[in-house]
Amino acid sequence: CEPCNGVYRYLEGKESLSITKFCGSESIQVRLPSDINIKELKERLKQWGVKEVGPCLQLKNMTIFKNRVIVRTSSEQEAKKAVMHYIGA
């Protein structure tokens, strides 16, 4: 994957993630620029205890869909950091 090879498109400012904070909850939605393959991601994240729940994955404080991630946090920075670390989007 790109982050494993030192390519950080979002951190370098070459692309940006769409962020939406949900009112009344400690959740932030991060829209991904393109769909991810849930099956491949599940395999890659199994070492961290990822769980498949219907069409999405659950890992720590994240619910991962093919085109977006909902992170339970009030910090946009923490949401971006989690997405970059585990998904590399």
Side-chain angles (χ1 to χ4, degrees):
C1 75
E2 289 183 348
C4 292
N5 292 308
V7 178
Y8 306 102
R9 295 178 301 159
Y10 296 95
L11 295 176
E12 293 168 353
K14 294 178 182 172
E15 295 188 39
S16 63
L17 299 171
S18 171
I19 304 290
T20 304
K21 185 170 183 178
F22 294 131
C23 295
S25 73
E26 297 271 321
S27 296
I28 293 178
Q29 175 176 268
V30 179
R31 283 217 168 263
L32 304 172
S34 59
D35 289 356
I36 56 174
N37 184 314
I38 291 291
K39 299 285 185 204
E40 288 177 8
L41 185 61
K42 178 184 174 188
E43 185 63 28
R44 204 171 83 219
L45 297 177
K46 69 180 178 182
Q47 64 185 332
W48 286 292
V50 68
K51 296 178 185 173
E52 188 169 7
V53 182
C56 61
L57 301 176
Q58 288 188 328
L59 176 67
K60 301 187 183 238
N61 65 335
M62 299 185 300
T63 303
I64 305 164
F65 298 87
K66 70 177 184 176
N67 62 350
R68 68 190 187 284
V69 181
I70 298 174
V71 185
R72 287 181 300 282
T73 182
S74 59
S75 165
E76 288 184 18
Q77 190 67 18
E78 286 299 315
K80 287 180 184 179
K81 184 178 175 182
V83 170
M84 293 302 301
H85 179 74
Y86 292 105
I87 300 171

